[in-house]
Amino acid sequence: VPPLPPAGIPCQQPTRTANFPGVSKGEEKESAVGGAQSIMFKLQDSVNEAHTDSVWSVAWSRDEGRDVLITGSVDTVVKTWHVDGGGKITGRHKLDGHRLGVVSVDINSEGTVGVSSSLDSQIRIWDLERGNLLQDIDAGPVNAYKIALAPNGANVVAGSNTGELTVYDVTNGEKVARLSSQGKFAMSVAYSPDGTRVASGAIDGMVTVFDLTTGKQGSVQHQFTEAHSMPVRSLSFAPDERAQLLFTACDDGLIKIFDVREPGHVGTMSGHASWVLSVACRPDGSQLATGSSDKTLKVWDLRTRKCLHTSTTHKNQVWSACYNSDGTKIASVSDAKELHVTQVP
């Protein structure tokens, strides 16, 4: 298992690079955007005992006009939740079956199918309408860490301790592709919005982008061998026509931006006081949300690359954060067993 920041213990401060080109520093939090008439950043609801142990992952989709959340925890349980227009969180399903902690969850665009991966090397496919197990995939020892569901919901990709990524068919659990980065432990994975690329982030800081249009084995489109110097915990592509941009979150405390069309590092943002554990791009491409071991959730303006807001409502490190489909809310989870929903202007 790759190194994890221990609960309740301050993490080692990341090493900063003085005067790093393109670095934008995080600023003090602001309560509103665009003047007095703007919508405020506001904690709309929280569940302080969402699980019985640390919550490591959250994903968000839409289901018949109601927001659907899925969470995964060290307590081995996957849960689903509904969020109403005012941000009120209501529990729905408790999904048991994993034997060890749940590392990662994802959800399809309709909010009807969820996927979870665990330290037991099992990938489980769930019917979120009925709360039933649809498929159980045995990925083999330490061959399923973080997972990501394809935009069309047909496949799921999983990272492994060897650096190899495996793509599975959600319907029957069969392997449909293997992607080799020739690197180390793949700690994070992400699909591009059009499903033609997969990115992986490694324990040694390397970031690899695969082209899925070249056949079952795919091909390495770009490899950023010195993207970071520490584990890359999370990845997120920009949406739609901006999908050539890839955002990375790392234990070095930095969020970096890479152009995967014409490969290169195009920007860096800093401001967290410790490891950055999660990064998510707003659906309209205007913002990023990041969670950190410094117990904060930050929201960044991608036009100015400045911090718009810093939330200090979590009691422990923020493992995962994501936007809802219209970008008006952020869900975040932490080592303190919490699930929060924050209003976003």
Side-chain angles (χ1 to χ4, degrees):
V1 178
L4 305 172
I9 301 176
C11 295
Q12 181 180 2
Q13 294 296 318
T15 301
R16 301 292 187 197
T17 303
N19 300 320
F20 194 93
V23 171
S24 300
K25 298 257 184 191
E27 299 174 337
E28 294 299 317
K29 70 176 182 179
E30 300 173 10
S31 59
V33 174
Q37 300 303 314
S38 294
I39 299 172
M40 306 284 282
F41 285 101
K42 181 178 71 174
L43 179 65
Q44 291 187 303
D45 198 10
S46 63
V47 181
N48 292 329
E49 296 289 336
H51 287 263
T52 60
D53 209 330
S54 303
V55 191
W56 278 0
S57 187
V58 61
W60 205 334
S61 191
R62 302 286 289 188
D63 181 17
E64 297 178 357
R66 295 183 297 173
D67 286 304
V68 179
L69 283 173
I70 182 171
T71 57
S73 168
V74 179
D75 65 9
T76 75
V77 174
V78 175
K79 289 187 176 182
T80 64
W81 315 79
H82 279 306
V83 182
D84 67 17
K88 178 67 176 176
I89 306 167
T90 304
R92 189 177 182 189
H93 296 301
K94 178 183 177 184
L95 308 174
D96 296 301
H98 283 295
R99 298 185 297 275
L100 294 173
V102 178
V103 175
S104 183
V105 296
D106 206 352
I107 190 170
N108 70 348
S109 58
E110 295 80 18
T112 57
V113 175
V115 183
S116 59
S117 64
S118 164
L119 295 173
D120 62 12
S121 296
Q122 300 292 311
I123 300 171
R124 291 188 160 232
I125 316 296
W126 306 95
D127 180 337
L128 299 187
E129 294 182 308
R130 298 176 176 83
N132 296 331
L133 180 67
L134 294 174
Q135 189 72 235
D136 191 3
I137 302 169
D138 185 356
V142 203
N143 277 327
Y145 193 60
K146 292 287 187 71
I147 51 96
L149 198 57
N152 64 6
N155 298 321
V156 60
V157 64
S160 75
N161 66 332
T162 64
E164 183 177 81
L165 277 60
T166 305
V167 181
Y168 298 92
D169 186 299
V170 167
T171 303
N172 56 31
E174 293 183 358
K175 296 177 183 178
V176 296
R178 290 183 183 275
L179 312 172
S180 179
S181 66
Q182 304 297 318
K184 296 185 178 180
F185 202 117
M187 295 193 65
S188 51
V189 293
Y191 269 98
S192 63
D194 62 4
T196 62
R197 298 185 182 101
V198 163
S200 69
I203 197 169
D204 63 356
M206 184 170 69
V207 173
T208 304
V209 179
F210 298 91
D211 182 351
L212 300 184
T213 65
T214 59
K216 288 189 175 182
Q217 299 305 314
S219 65
V220 174
Q221 183 178 12
H222 303 301
Q223 198 159 55
F224 305 100
T225 56
E226 298 181 356
H228 292 273
S229 59
M230 299 176 74
V232 179
R233 298 278 178 174
S234 182
L235 304 159
S236 181
F237 280 93
D240 303 327
E241 70 274 8
R242 293 174 292 273
Q244 68 268 22
L245 294 182
L246 175 67
F247 306 96
T248 62
C250 180
D251 285 5
D252 60 12
L254 301 176
I255 304 105
K256 290 191 177 183
I257 309 170
F258 295 90
D259 189 327
V260 300
R261 184 181 55 180
E262 298 176 358
H265 168 233
V266 297
T268 300
M269 296 179 289
S270 71
H272 282 293
S274 190
W275 301 1
V276 187
L277 303 174
S278 177
V279 61
C281 190
R282 192 177 189 175
D284 66 2
S286 65
Q287 295 177 359
L288 281 184
T290 56
S292 170
S293 287
D294 64 9
K295 306 179 186 179
T296 68
L297 169 73
K298 285 182 180 287
V299 180
W300 307 80
D301 185 324
L302 283 177
R303 183 181 60 84
T304 63
R305 297 180 187 171
K306 300 293 185 182
C307 183
L308 291 173
H309 175 73
T310 300
S311 169
T312 58
T313 58
H314 282 289
K315 299 184 180 75
N316 211 323
Q317 51 202 10
V318 182
W319 272 109
S320 182
C322 60
Y323 285 90
N324 67 341
S325 64
D326 63 9
T328 59
K329 298 178 179 64
I330 297 171
S332 54
V333 294
S334 82
D335 248 346
K337 313 173 190 176
E338 306 157 311
L339 167 61
H340 288 184
V341 169
T342 301
Q343 179 178 273
V344 181

